[in-house]
Structures are given as structure tokens and as C-alpha cells.
Amino acid sequence: MIPAAILDGILHGSAAQQRRAIAKAITLLESTRTDHRAQGDALLTALLPHTGKSFRLGISGVPGVGKSTFIEALGLYLIAQGHRVAVLTIDPSSSVSGGSILGDKTRMEHLSVNDQAYIRPSPSSGTLGGVAEKTREAMLVCEAAGYDVVIVETVGVGQSETAAASMTDMFVLLQLPNAGDDLQAIKKGVMEIADLVVINKADLDPHAAMRADAQITSSLRILSQHGNPENSRHDKALWHPKVLQISALLGQGVDGFWDAVSQYRELQTANGRLATRREKQALAWMWERIDAGLKQAFRQHPQVKNLLPALQQDVAAGRIAASTAARNLLSAQSGQALSAIE
């Protein structure tokens, strides 16, 4: 059953009604209750024809690089240009208590009260890659509500934080002027998939910012050519990752950043790579949800639930190998599971 009030609020409500409806929709999608999941699926299906018209921007970087400050400066700049901006921020969940502070919104004091902006913090809840489990769904809700720029701010955990690149049109990595040496700049992972690298807080040490700019530019050239011969041709019809220097706190360089984003969007739209990227992301999303659904179904299987407590005790006590316990549980769920992993 489609929650009609939420659907109508998102598509036809006033600014205040729309914000409440978006918040309710994302909460519904994040719920683990079976009935809520069914309603969330129906809601997404109804919203789908109204999605896909925004530009999706992923922002990542180490803690303290100034992601929230940069996003607020960018958001206010875009609103002044006539855009509507939605920001989905991901807050790390505690490995001890499981809770999250969800405080990113408080850092964006001016953007959060702007009628043309919507900010939604969500807990990572153990999801790897710097994003939350339902970030993709939340992005579609914001698109259906008419936000033409959707920004995903990742947790900010380091070099393995690459999931945001698999759900956005452009992946931006924020770096500090003194982030490391040449070797650090060419490490695989998040640097390798960045479409644009932004050196924030460049005003603090202009000389260090220039050195970092040169090092990262050289590194991006090496990484783009490695295993991808077409990038070595420097074809003007293709996008090649760039490095920019900005100061988000002072508002310097934000216009140049958006010019680069606009150039990227035009190139990738013209050569068809933006559409191809979204197609791949949709398929990856489907398989991700299949993996999550299979894991949930496995845990809820009656025979698995019966065997699990005893096997967990045996593994903890060292009486049985973890791999053997896993095989036994898979065998309990399905007679074919054991043969499939042997």
C-alpha cells in the first residue's frame, strides 16, 4: 500500500509540507519492519518516474578536511544561482553503543535554515564504504521532490571509502595541503576513482597547497593511464581528473569548483558516459539489495536460528573452526549450500 499522504506531500506539498514528507519517507525507507519495507518499496515505485533529473555529487575526505564547511559554501552558492540543494550526510555509528551523533547538520547553520535546501543526516549503522544502507533510496526521494543537486557527504574514514562513487554522477575528494608525500598521493583506493580532487584550506599554507597540487596532479596522471590506455590520449571529449585549490571558510574558489563540475557534466553527458554510469549503478544497487536480502533471510531461517547459538559458543570456545560452523549453517539453510562452497 502506497502511503498517499507522504507521496502527495513530496510531489505537491508546500515547502514545509514537502520537508516533512521527505523526512517521513526516508524514515520509512530506513525502517527494518516488514510492513514498512513493503510500503517503502511501493513509495519508491510511485516516485521513480519523477527521479533522475538531478546531478548527484559525492563528497569524501578525511575527518577535519572541512567537508561540511565546503558543502555549506557550495550549497549557498548554488541556491544563489537558482538551484535547489539536498544534502545527505552520513555519520559514523559507534562500534560500542551503536549510536550516532548525527551532528553534521549543526555545522551548516545557514544552509540548514534555507528554504531551498534540505539536509538529512543518517547513521552508517555498520555499512562499509562511507555511506548508509538507504542512501540511494533517500537520494531518489530528494530528486522526486525537485532538488536538482543532491550531495552525498560520506563518513570520512580514509582510502577505502569508495561506495559514494558507485551511487553518484561525480566523486569529489577533499584533501588537506599537508596530506602526505608523493607516495601517499599515488596510493590506490579513493584517490584512484576521484573525478575531481579539491585541496581545501589552501589559505592556511599556500606553499604547501601548491606542492600538494603538483604532487596530486602528477599522481592522477599516472593513475589514469595505468591499465586504461584511452586516458593517455588526452581526448578533449573525455573527462580527465583535475586538482583545484579552495578555501571553503573564506568562500574562495567555490565558483571555480562549480565551473569544473559543469564542464564534467557537459562532457560526460555528450559522450554518453553519464548515462552508462547510472545504468551500472542501478544494476549494482539491485545486486547489493539482493546480497542484503539473502543475508537477512539466512539469519531468519528456522534451522539456522536453532543451530546458531550453540555454534557461536563452539566457535568462541575454539571447539570448532569458524569456517566449519559457517558450512554447517549454510548446509542447514539449504542442502545445496554446502556443495556450492566445497
Side-chain angles (χ1 to χ4, degrees), residues 174-216:
L174 265 61
Q175 290 281 68
L176 292 167
N178 293 299
D181 55 14
D182 290 343
L183 181 60
Q184 189 71 26
I186 64 172
K187 283 187 176 180
K188 308 294 185 181
V190 70
M191 180 74 75
E192 195 174 21
I193 61 172
D195 298 303
L196 187 64
V197 179
V198 175
I199 301 171
N200 193 22
K201 304 184 181 180
D203 57 302
L204 297 180
D205 192 341
H207 296 294
M210 286 297 295
R211 287 195 301 272
D213 191 324
Q215 290 172 353
I216 296 172

Side-chain angles (χ1 to χ4, degrees), residues 136 166 277-287:
R136 288 182 176 88
S166 68
R277 182 166 177 161
R278 287 200 174 186
E279 289 172 3
K280 291 180 179 178
Q281 288 172 358
L283 292 174
W285 180 19
M286 180 188 73
W287 282 108

Side-chain angles (χ1 to χ4, degrees), residues 5 13 41 72 139 142 160 175 199 202 206 208 243 259 268 272 289 311 335:
D41 288 341
E72 178 171 56
M139 196 159 47
C142 293
S160 63
Q175 290 281 68
I199 301 171
V243 183
D259 287 342
Q268 298 297 81
R289 302 318 309 150
L311 282 174

Side-chain angles (χ1 to χ4, degrees), residues 295-306:
K295 186 175 181 180
Q296 183 182 19
F298 173 79
R299 287 179 173 273
Q300 293 177 349
H301 193 277
Q303 293 186 31
V304 171
K305 290 172 74 173
N306 290 335

Side-chain angles (χ1 to χ4, degrees), residues 57-61 64-78 85 87 104 107-108 111 149 151-154 170-175 196-202 244-261:
L57 190 64
I59 306 290
S60 184
V65 74
K67 293 189 294 297
S68 297
T69 304
F70 170 69
I71 289 172
E72 178 171 56
L74 175 62
L76 292 173
Y77 172 81
L78 292 176
V85 180
V87 182
D104 289 304
R107 295 196 184 106
M108 307 178 195
L111 187 62
V149 178
I151 300 173
V152 178
E153 179 193 352
T154 67
M170 186 178 195
F171 183 59
V172 178
L173 176 64
L174 265 61
Q175 290 281 68
L196 187 64
V197 179
V198 175
I199 301 171
N200 193 22
K201 304 184 181 180
L244 298 176
Q245 297 181 40
I246 69 164
S247 173
L249 186 63
L250 301 180
Q252 297 174 352
V254 176
D255 54 346
F257 169 82
W258 189 248
D259 287 342
V261 173

Side-chain angles (χ1 to χ4, degrees), residues 18-300:
Q18 191 178 64
R19 292 166 77 92
R20 286 195 295 271
I22 293 172
K24 289 180 179 179
I26 296 176
T27 299
L28 180 67
L29 290 165
E30 290 178 343
S31 174
T32 57
R33 280 177 43 175
T34 303
D35 57 333
H36 285 176
R37 285 180 179 268
Q39 291 179 34
D41 288 341
L43 177 63
L44 270 186
T45 301
L47 291 175
L48 210 55
H50 306 279
T51 65
K53 299 180 179 66
S54 76
F55 186 75
R56 305 165 183 174
L57 190 64
I59 306 290
S60 184
V62 297
V65 74
K67 293 189 294 297
S68 297
T69 304
F70 170 69
I71 289 172
E72 178 171 56
L74 175 62
L76 292 173
Y77 172 81
L78 292 176
I79 289 171
Q81 303 298 313
H83 296 280
R84 297 185 71 206
V85 180
V87 182
L88 305 174
T89 70
I90 315 302
D91 201 50
S93 297
S94 170
S95 59
V96 178
S97 66
S100 296
I101 296 176
L102 302 178
D104 289 304
K105 192 172 181 177
T106 62
R107 295 196 184 106
M108 307 178 195
E109 297 178 359
H110 301 291
L111 187 62
S112 61
V113 297
N114 196 298
D115 290 338
Q116 299 304 309
Y118 177 79
I119 303 174
R120 170 75 181 209
S122 296
S124 63
S125 301
T127 304
L128 300 178
V131 297
E133 183 181 5
K134 298 296 183 179
T135 300
R136 288 182 176 88
E137 288 89 336
M139 196 159 47
L140 293 179
V141 172
C142 293
E143 287 184 350
Y147 292 94
D148 60 327
V149 178
V150 180
I151 300 173
V152 178
E153 179 193 352
T154 67
V155 168
V157 293
Q159 293 168 334
S160 63
E161 191 173 297
T162 59
S166 68
M167 64 178 66
T168 54
D169 299 322
M170 186 178 195
F171 183 59
V172 178
L173 176 64
L174 265 61
Q175 290 281 68
L176 292 167
N178 293 299
D181 55 14
D182 290 343
L183 181 60
Q184 189 71 26
I186 64 172
K187 283 187 176 180
K188 308 294 185 181
V190 70
M191 180 74 75
E192 195 174 21
I193 61 172
D195 298 303
L196 187 64
V197 179
V198 175
I199 301 171
N200 193 22
K201 304 184 181 180
D203 57 302
L204 297 180
D205 192 341
H207 296 294
M210 286 297 295
R211 287 195 301 272
D213 191 324
Q215 290 172 353
I216 296 172
T217 299
S218 176
S219 303
L220 288 175
R221 190 174 296 116
I222 294 171
L223 290 172
S224 66
Q225 292 177 8
H226 180 70
N228 197 356
E230 68 177 14
N231 285 341
S232 63
R233 299 198 304 265
H234 298 287
D235 189 344
K236 292 184 179 180
L238 301 176
W239 173 261
H240 300 281
K242 299 180 180 179
V243 183
L244 298 176
Q245 297 181 40
I246 69 164
S247 173
L249 186 63
L250 301 180
Q252 297 174 352
V254 176
D255 54 346
F257 169 82
W258 189 248
D259 287 342
V261 173
S262 300
Q263 182 186 1
Y264 170 90
R265 186 177 187 177
E266 290 174 5
L267 280 175
Q268 298 297 81
T269 301
N271 61 31
R273 295 200 169 194
L274 195 61
T276 301
R277 182 166 177 161
R278 287 200 174 186
E279 289 172 3
K280 291 180 179 178
Q281 288 172 358
L283 292 174
W285 180 19
M286 180 188 73
W287 282 108
E288 180 184 300
R289 302 318 309 150
I290 288 173
D291 290 341
L294 288 173
K295 186 175 181 180
Q296 183 182 19
F298 173 79
R299 287 179 173 273
Q300 293 177 349

